């Protein structure tokens, strides 16, 4: 399949380009950026020197000629663009008959009101929200395989949902809000220059209290209320979430352990039991590491991912694999992505 990446100069786009190039059943058919981008005309390897001799592919502006090329050449279009840009571009590629994998938040939420509240814009293609399959690979493969538009799950929600859905689905969780304390590396903020994410400015601190856009995404696909607080960490990549769950009275450790067995055969999920996951355990890997410890009705669940791999490009590739009828983890298991 021929894959086009739009927004390829960002961290997730570049990561996805690397994965596509390494995939024996995919061809990287083009990398595109906006017509206004300062990166247009450069090689991806000019921006990311680790790709010299590997991905010496030009970043082309998304002109009308580029759109014609995509219509003729592409099978899959991956959008690594800002949320509003994805909302505008996705219908154009869908009308061409392309399957679209959107790595932004443009199609993850339920309605326009959510987008006004959490993203700050009016969603011009609300009808597509019902058509988009949520790209949480381990949990929604049938819908991903059939859909023309896949809304690849967010990074924080990927860590949270894989850690919590087994418990909620097994009916083990009380009605109390689940508290999610999450920390992400600076690459999660994107590549654009911003003083708050500059090397000398970054300090561990919370942000988006009570109103972060991943809160409604987690609640929608978990079916349970959460109190989600993200933090910016002073490290490049990775996410670690510490999650506080109030269990129903009488829930045993065995019941909790049994609930997680629904993920035991998933090749990119590593169930650590009472061991504590870490950022170092998942950086440059496509895994979700999940650990948990229980004391009475209190359960602490810990979940770690690489935000650019399992939290973005790796999960997009899982969705592509599913669409092709391959194992979701094809080319991802055991691979170390420097």
């Amino acid at each position: 399949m021929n894959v086009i990446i739009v927004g390829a100069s960002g961290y997730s786009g570049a990561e996805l380009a690397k994965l596509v190039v390494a995939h024996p059943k995919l061809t990287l058919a083009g990398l595109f950026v906006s017509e206004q981008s300062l990166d247009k005309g450069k090689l991806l390897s000019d921006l990311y020197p680790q790709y010299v001799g590997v991905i010496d592919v030009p970043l082309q502006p998304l002109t009308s000629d580029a759109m014609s090329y995509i219509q003729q050449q592409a099978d899959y279009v991956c959008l690594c663009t800002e949320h509003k840009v994805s909302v505008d571009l996705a219908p154009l590629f869908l009308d061409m008959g392309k399957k679209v994998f959107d790595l932004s938040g443009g199609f993850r939420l339920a309605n326009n009101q959510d987008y006004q509240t959490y993203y700050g814009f009016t969603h011009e293609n609300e009808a597509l929200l019902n058509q988009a399959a949520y790209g949480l690979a381990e949990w929604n493969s049938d819908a991903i395989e059939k859909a023309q538009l896949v809304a690849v799950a967010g990074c924080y929600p990927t860590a949270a949902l894989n850690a919590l859905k087994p418990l909620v689905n097994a009916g083990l969780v009380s009605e109390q809000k689940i508290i999610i304390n999450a920390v992400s590396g600076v690459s999660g903020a994107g590549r654009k220059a911003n003083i708050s994410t500059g090397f000398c400015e970054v300090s561990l601190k919370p942000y988006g209290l009570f109103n972060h856009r991943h809160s409604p995404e987690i609640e929608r696909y978990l079916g349970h209320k959460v109190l989600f607080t993200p933090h910016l960490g002073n490290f490049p990549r990775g996410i670690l979430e510490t999650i506080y769950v109030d269990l129903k009275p009488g829930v045993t450790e065995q019941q909790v352990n049994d609930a997680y067995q629904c993920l035991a055969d998933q090749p990119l999920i590593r169930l650590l039991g009472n061991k504590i996951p870490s950022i170092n355990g998942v950086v440059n890997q496509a895994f979700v590491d999940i650990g948990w410890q229980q004391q009475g009705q209190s359960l602490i669940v810990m979940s770690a991912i690489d935000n650019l791999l399992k939290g973005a490009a790796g999960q997009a590739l899982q969705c592509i694999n599913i669409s092709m009828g391959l194992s979701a983890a094809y080319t991802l298991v055991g691979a170390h992505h420097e």
Side-chain angles (χ1 to χ4, degrees):
M1 290 292 190
N2 289 335
V3 177
I4 295 290
I5 301 174
V6 181
S9 61
Y11 296 135
S12 295
E15 198 83 30
L16 183 56
K18 177 181 62 179
L19 296 179
V20 170
V21 165
H23 196 295
K25 297 183 183 296
L26 297 176
T27 298
L28 185 61
L31 301 177
F32 293 89
V33 293
S34 72
E35 290 187 78
Q36 296 77 36
S37 174
L38 297 176
D39 295 324
K40 67 182 179 185
K42 299 176 182 177
L43 302 179
L44 189 68
S45 54
D46 292 335
L47 306 184
Y48 298 92
Q50 65 268 38
Y51 297 157
V52 170
V54 180
I55 316 178
D56 298 317
V57 178
L59 296 161
Q60 304 174 63
L62 194 62
T63 62
S64 57
D65 286 345
M67 295 295 282
S68 297
Y69 169 83
I70 292 170
Q71 184 164 15
Q72 294 168 12
Q73 299 295 327
D75 296 301
Y76 297 150
V77 176
C78 298
L79 300 178
C80 301
T81 43
E82 292 183 356
H83 315 293
K84 182 65 167 66
V85 174
S86 288
V87 171
D88 294 337
L89 288 178
L92 304 180
F93 296 120
L94 292 170
D95 287 346
M96 295 178 187
K98 310 304 178 187
K99 184 152 184 169
V100 176
F101 301 86
D102 178 29
L103 281 74
S104 84
F107 297 96
R108 295 174 187 156
L109 302 186
N111 53 57
N112 179 46
Q113 184 58 55
D114 283 343
Y115 281 92
Q116 291 177 343
T117 301
Y118 293 100
Y119 284 86
F121 67 83
T122 298
H123 203 292
E124 302 291 348
N125 294 292
E126 196 171 0
L128 288 178
L129 296 178
N130 292 326
Q131 299 176 29
Y134 189 56
L136 189 64
E138 281 76 18
W139 295 92
N140 207 25
S141 59
D142 288 347
I144 292 167
E145 184 174 6
K146 297 171 186 172
Q148 280 298 108
L149 173 60
V150 176
V152 178
C155 52
Y156 283 125
T158 292
L161 291 168
N162 278 297
L164 291 171
K165 283 179 73 68
L167 303 171
V168 171
N169 289 1
L172 304 183
V173 181
S174 79
E175 295 300 313
Q176 296 294 320
K177 277 188 178 181
I178 295 170
I179 298 173
I180 303 172
N181 189 44
V183 187
S184 175
V186 185
S187 58
R191 187 169 167 267
K192 282 189 175 180
N194 186 318
I195 191 168
S196 66
T197 56
F199 178 77
C200 293
E201 302 291 334
V202 172
S203 176
L204 180 62
K205 63 180 181 181
Y207 64 97
L209 277 68
F210 293 112
N211 65 355
H212 193 276
R213 58 186 52 145
H214 283 317
S215 294
E217 182 181 342
I218 294 169
E219 290 185 348
R220 181 183 184 191
Y221 296 103
L222 182 60
H224 199 285
K225 288 290 185 182
V226 302
L227 181 57
F228 169 73
T229 305
H231 297 68
L232 180 67
N234 53 351
F235 51 92
R237 58 195 290 170
I239 284 175
L240 180 67
E241 298 187 2
T242 305
I243 304 170
Y244 306 95
V245 180
D246 185 59
L247 298 169
K248 290 179 178 176
V251 171
T252 66
E253 292 184 15
Q254 187 63 53
Q255 285 177 288
V256 171
N257 293 342
D258 289 347
Y260 278 111
Q261 294 314 301
C262 67
L263 292 173
D265 294 330
Q266 294 292 340
L268 293 181
I269 305 287
R270 298 193 295 199
L271 299 175
L272 306 185
N274 63 5
K275 296 177 183 176
I276 296 175
S278 68
I279 295 287
N280 282 349
V282 293
V283 165
N284 294 315
Q285 302 279 351
F287 295 107
V288 187
D289 282 0
I290 303 172
W292 60 92
Q293 293 188 21
Q294 182 177 347
Q295 189 175 80
Q297 282 182 240
S298 297
L299 182 71
I300 299 177
V301 185
M302 301 146 287
S303 181
I305 65 169
D306 184 309
N307 57 297
L308 297 180
L309 276 165
K310 183 57 177 171
Q315 182 132 260
L317 190 71
Q318 282 188 277
C319 294
I320 290 172
N321 282 334
I322 290 167
S323 297
M324 296 174 69
L326 302 171
S327 163
Y330 182 65
T331 72
L332 290 168
V333 174
H336 191 80
H337 304 279
E338 293 291 357

